[in-house]
Amino acid sequence: MAKFALFVDLENCGAKVATLNSILEKVKMRGDILLGKVYGYTDRFSDLKEVLLSNTFTVVPSLRYGIAQKNNADIQLVIDALEVAYTNELIDSFCIVSGDSDYVPLVGKLKGMGKFVLGISRSEAASKVFINACNEFQFMETVGKTSVKPVPKKNRAAAAEEIMDEAELNKLMCTALEESSAGDEMYASELKGVIKRLRPDFNEKAYGCATFFKLLTKLSARFGDLHVENDNFNVMVSLNNVSDSAEVIPQLTKDNWRDAFAAQLQAYKEGGFDRVNPSILKADILTSYPDFAERTIGFKRFSDVMKQLEKDGMLVVEMDEQKTMLIKLL
């Protein structure tokens, strides 16, 4: 199991509670977080206090002095990461939440010491050099996996206070299996360990089951997403890839495509994003509408779709310093 040190540039991650929780979930899917630090903390990030305290983060405040305050935080992150790499033998993996190319030498040094480096950043701020330098890189929009069907607000507060219902637990288990490096298959004990890292208060008895195996069997029978196999006392869990032939696949047409894109753009805004890379938007549209193709809605290229949405006043097409297209959300 990987042992992570997590370093977060708050300015880069947008400093939203939901986004930070998504980052923590992504890392905990892969192993234990032994050490966490956030940089650039100020009073305007006070909403994060509960998340930071409950995950035992060390906070490095942002001191407003001079024109190089951002560089000061970057340098401090590099110093701290190298100190951990040299002095803490337990930590074998690092997660850096920032897309700044200035961190490339740090990534190279960590990899040279045999450390695994996971990078996470907003698509608008991610340097291609930094992306390619990491062992693995995730766009923050993908980490958060904003949905085109947000949970109604009236249900969110209740969900934060109560245990997960069976549908939420089933979805979390499926996500853990999808993230598994063993090919969508895990020992039941390993899967339970992941769930416990993500939800320390998890207990199968809360779902009316005496054992974790009985809970898995119950969820498998109810939702059909999990395949549970008991082989010589070793319980294996995998994703059930048998598709439902009767399932209707949603389609985008010339009549409804604007509504679908508007819903996805709104989901990004609710997630705290101001700009996203068009490739992220297209990937999320394909997730919801697997048969999507530009020609079916009257366009040749995805960039043409973006230009039309710009004419409709739904977004603004921009180019960054590297001549990469970005879309600004309105």
Side-chain angles (χ1 to χ4, degrees):
M1 181 190 303
K3 307 293 185 182
F4 273 93
L6 173 59
F7 298 91
V8 181
D9 178 347
L10 285 179
E11 293 289 347
N12 184 272
C13 80
K16 299 288 185 180
V17 173
T19 305
L20 186 55
N21 276 327
S22 295
I23 292 169
L24 289 167
E25 185 170 290
K26 173 65 69 173
V27 179
K28 288 179 180 179
M29 289 282 186
R30 298 156 189 272
D32 281 330
I33 301 176
L34 300 190
L35 181 151
K37 280 193 173 185
V38 295
Y39 298 82
Y41 184 87
T42 65
D43 289 340
R44 67 189 178 97
F45 298 143
S46 58
D47 290 347
L48 300 177
K49 284 183 179 179
E50 183 177 347
V51 178
L52 296 175
L53 288 171
S54 60
N55 287 278
T56 63
F57 271 93
T58 300
V59 174
V60 179
S62 176
L63 298 178
R64 302 286 175 177
Y65 181 79
I67 62 174
Q69 60 184 24
K70 180 65 173 65
N71 287 339
N72 291 341
D74 293 347
I75 293 171
Q76 187 63 55
L77 190 154
V78 172
I79 293 172
D80 291 346
L82 288 176
E83 181 181 12
V84 170
Y86 278 109
T87 62
N88 194 325
E89 297 180 355
L90 294 176
I91 292 176
D92 56 17
S93 303
F94 286 75
C95 177
I96 300 174
V97 182
S98 177
D100 198 325
S101 61
D102 290 344
Y103 292 123
V104 171
L106 170 63
V107 174
K109 184 64 176 180
L110 293 174
K111 289 169 66 177
M113 297 174 67
K115 310 296 184 181
F116 174 87
V117 181
L118 168 65
I120 299 177
S121 173
R122 290 177 296 157
S123 61
E124 66 164 301
S127 162
K128 291 182 180 179
V129 178
F130 179 74
I131 292 173
N132 293 331
C134 295
N135 294 104
E136 182 180 353
F137 185 88
Q138 297 277 340
F139 286 114
M140 202 168 294
E141 296 89 333
T142 304
V143 170
K145 213 58 184 177
T146 46
S147 170
V148 295
K149 296 181 180 179
V151 178
K153 291 183 179 179
K154 63 181 182 180
N155 292 334
R156 288 177 183 167
E161 298 173 358
E162 301 172 1
I163 65 169
M164 293 179 292
D165 61 27
E166 291 184 358
E168 293 172 322
L169 178 59
N170 181 76
K171 182 178 179 181
L172 187 61
M173 289 185 177
C174 290
T175 302
L177 288 166
E178 290 170 354
E179 293 288 338
S180 171
S181 60
D184 297 347
E185 183 179 57
M186 300 174 70
Y187 285 105
S189 58
E190 183 182 2
L191 177 58
K192 182 176 180 178
V194 173
I195 300 301
K196 290 287 287 184
R197 287 199 298 273
L198 296 171
R199 304 288 188 272
D201 60 347
F202 168 77
N203 190 325
E204 54 266 33
K205 292 181 176 60
Y207 301 90
C209 299
T211 65
F212 189 63
F213 174 70
K214 290 183 178 180
L215 176 59
L216 290 172
T217 304
K218 180 181 181 179
L219 295 177
S220 176
R222 179 178 177 186
F223 300 103
D225 297 318
L226 304 175
H227 176 71
V228 185
E229 184 176 354
N230 193 347
D231 181 21
N232 294 328
F233 301 104
N234 288 323
V235 179
M236 301 298 299
V237 189
S238 58
L239 289 174
N240 189 349
N241 294 318
V242 178
S243 61
D244 185 355
S245 59
E247 182 181 356
V248 177
I249 300 176
Q251 302 285 334
L252 282 186
T253 67
K254 293 181 180 179
D255 295 325
N256 69 2
W257 72 271
R258 282 183 175 83
D259 292 337
F261 275 79
Q264 185 60 62
L265 292 172
Q266 182 62 30
Y268 291 136
K269 291 179 65 176
E270 292 181 356
F273 297 100
D274 298 320
R275 293 174 176 79
V276 297
N277 191 296
S279 63
I280 300 297
L281 174 58
K282 183 173 183 178
D284 283 334
I285 290 295
L286 282 168
T287 298
S288 301
Y289 303 92
D291 291 338
F292 165 71
E294 289 86 345
R295 293 185 181 277
T296 61
I297 60 174
F299 299 94
K300 290 184 179 181
R301 297 175 295 273
F302 196 72
S303 58
D304 297 329
V305 179
M306 296 298 97
K307 291 175 183 177
Q308 182 59 53
L309 291 176
E310 184 175 34
K311 290 181 181 178
D312 294 339
M314 297 171 62
L315 54 82
V316 174
V317 176
E318 299 179 337
M319 303 294 289
D320 65 10
E321 296 178 355
Q322 299 174 339
K323 304 301 181 182
T324 299
M325 180 184 289
L326 293 173
I327 54 177
K328 179 181 179 181
L329 308 179
L330 298 178

